[in-house]
Amino acid sequence: MPSIICLNTPFNYVILSSMKIWFKYLLGILLGIASSFILPVSSPGFISGITNCTEFAVRLGCYILVPLVFSSTVIASFKLGDTRQYNAVLLNTLAVIIVTSMAATLLGLLLIMAIKLPRIPITNAAVSSVATLNITDMLRSIFPFVSLSTLLNENFMFPCFMFASFIGCGSILDRAASKQVIQFFDSFSIVCYQISVFFTELISITIIALTVHWMMEYRILRVNTVFLPLIILLLCIFIVVTVVIYPAVLYFVFHDHHPYRVLYAGIAPLLTAFFSGNTNLTLPVIIRVCKDNLGIRRRTNGITAPLFSILGRSGSALITSICFVLIWRSYSNLSMAFSDILWITVTAFGLSFTLGNLPTGGTFFALTVLCTMYGRGLETGYLLLQPAAFIISSFAAALDTVTTLYGSYFVAARMKQIRHKEIKHFI
């Protein structure tokens, strides 16, 4: 297999240049699946070791994320503001986020109301801790006393995004004075991107450990067949949303005659999202494929990709609404009143915007908060689905990634910020 050794970077590493990035990720996943059947996965020592490897894999993948998002957003804000397109890109991005999140919530409710899934047996599991939603703390983290501390929050990207946006937009007010600042961030952004390319290549190796860990949890869950109908439903929804709904919108609304190019371009981040369940780990891969595959210009990609990753949790909203109705039906034989359906819709939709500080497990957190807020004996109802929390998070992260990919493409196409590339030139 032909390869090249890159000696013109700070790292001497081998890149299999003849392979597409999605194939490298798929190969790593297949190796992880095969390893899960060969390795002693039931050994306590192995479990501890693979857990540590998984954490290290996530740390490597997120290593350059904050500098990358910060520098890219500064440059994107400045260049869009300089051409008076910043407000248009921002508003279009937020509009797509709101529409997709509401549509996904309604879709989830319509499907779960039409499809009667088997009840989940009531459990007597003890509550270890109660999840609470603290909006005040989130606002404090976005606007801390010292703005530089926003760069120290490795989980919540929104404070970093906001600070970078202020710097970029503020630099427009005095272009002469800010010239050197912008030149620095422009160069820094390019360097961070090149480093992120190296780390996204490493994911093709570290995803082996992530897959082994995922398979270990799945093999435990597989013993309990009660969750199988839910898993099949989520899989069908994922296929329909990914293969039918979003491509149809791209074809009929944006008149793009090649709607599946986005799906093909995003195979690598989709695989990463599903087997890691981590939106922050997936974000550098999304940024790379949006630039190198979809041809979204850096000034737009620096705004849309982080915002969709942080706020565009339509998949989480969809799955939260489905899981809550399933829990409700497991406790009650009564029909759900319209007022309850409306409350679930509004609450699940609203909670999806508060998950930006939870790169993993955000969907199950939203479900926990939803049960607690609803009350009426369902305060601990989320415990019914706790054994399946990891696979629920996997589907939610994958659906969120689909929204980020198509949403970024929608906005870039509307703003004419795409330089189309032929599929044969995709990385």
Side-chain angles (χ1 to χ4, degrees), residues 116-130:
K116 304 291 185 180
L117 292 181
R119 292 185 177 187
I120 306 296
I122 306 300
T123 179
N124 294 321
V127 180
S128 56
S129 60
V130 179

Side-chain angles (χ1 to χ4, degrees), residues 201-220:
E201 293 289 339
L202 275 184
I203 292 177
S204 64
I205 300 174
T206 58
I207 203 170
I208 298 174
L210 293 169
T211 305
V212 171
H213 187 268
W214 190 93
M215 285 296 296
M216 289 168 57
E217 294 191 81
Y218 177 73
R219 289 169 71 177
I220 296 173

Side-chain angles (χ1 to χ4, degrees), residues 65-288:
L65 180 59
V66 172
L68 175 65
V69 170
F70 183 73
S71 57
S72 299
T73 304
V74 170
I75 294 302
S77 301
F78 175 79
K79 289 187 175 181
L80 288 175
D82 195 37
T83 56
R84 298 184 179 180
Q85 292 181 304
Y86 179 82
N87 290 337
V89 170
L90 183 64
L91 291 176
N92 274 279
T93 302
L94 293 177
V96 174
I97 288 174
I98 292 171
V99 170
T100 53
S101 296
M102 177 54 73
T105 306
L106 293 174
L107 175 63
L109 284 172
L110 288 174
L111 289 174
I112 195 60
M113 298 302 289
I115 301 173
K116 304 291 185 180
L117 292 181
R119 292 185 177 187
I120 306 296
I122 306 300
T123 179
N124 294 321
V127 180
S128 56
S129 60
V130 179
T132 57
L133 179 64
N134 196 323
I135 301 296
T136 303
D137 284 348
M138 291 184 64
L139 293 175
R140 286 172 178 167
S141 65
I142 296 174
F143 298 102
F145 286 112
V146 181
S147 57
L148 288 175
S149 64
T150 59
L151 305 181
L152 302 178
N153 193 334
E154 72 275 11
N155 289 326
F156 198 15
M157 291 292 105
F158 196 58
C160 169
F161 177 85
M162 288 290 293
F163 183 34
S165 298
F166 285 133
I167 293 177
C169 294
S171 299
I172 302 172
L173 301 177
D174 192 337
R175 291 176 177 80
S178 61
K179 182 178 180 180
Q180 292 181 335
V181 174
I182 295 302
Q183 287 177 343
F184 167 77
F185 278 112
D186 194 15
S187 300
F188 187 53
S189 173
I190 295 172
V191 171
C192 287
Y193 180 78
Q194 295 301 327
I195 297 173
S196 75
V197 168
F198 168 72
F199 281 105
T200 54
E201 293 289 339
L202 275 184
I203 292 177
S204 64
I205 300 174
T206 58
I207 203 170
I208 298 174
L210 293 169
T211 305
V212 171
H213 187 268
W214 190 93
M215 285 296 296
M216 289 168 57
E217 294 191 81
Y218 177 73
R219 289 169 71 177
I220 296 173
L221 179 65
R222 189 177 58 183
V223 177
N224 193 347
T225 58
V226 71
F227 298 107
L228 184 59
L230 174 62
I231 294 173
I232 294 174
L233 176 63
L234 295 181
L235 177 60
C236 293
I237 291 173
F238 173 75
I239 293 173
V240 170
V241 170
T242 304
V243 180
V244 179
I245 295 178
Y246 276 129
V249 172
L250 189 58
Y251 184 84
F252 291 106
V253 177
F254 292 91
H255 307 292
D256 191 314
H257 297 289
H258 303 283
Y260 289 103
R261 72 165 68 236
V262 179
L263 181 58
Y264 177 70
I267 292 176
L270 278 174
L271 293 174
T272 306
F274 185 81
F275 284 96
S276 70
N278 192 309
T279 55
N280 282 356
L281 177 64
T282 310
L283 182 54
V285 191
I286 292 174
I287 292 173
R288 185 181 177 192

Side-chain angles (χ1 to χ4, degrees), residues 303-339:
I303 299 295
T304 57
L307 266 185
F308 273 107
S309 180
I310 297 165
L311 300 177
R313 300 294 185 88
S314 61
S316 298
L318 185 154
I319 293 179
T320 299
S321 59
I322 287 177
C323 291
F324 182 78
V325 174
L326 177 59
I327 291 171
W328 193 91
R329 284 178 174 169
S330 298
Y331 276 89
S332 174
N333 289 321
L334 301 176
S335 299
M336 188 170 286
F338 177 76
S339 58

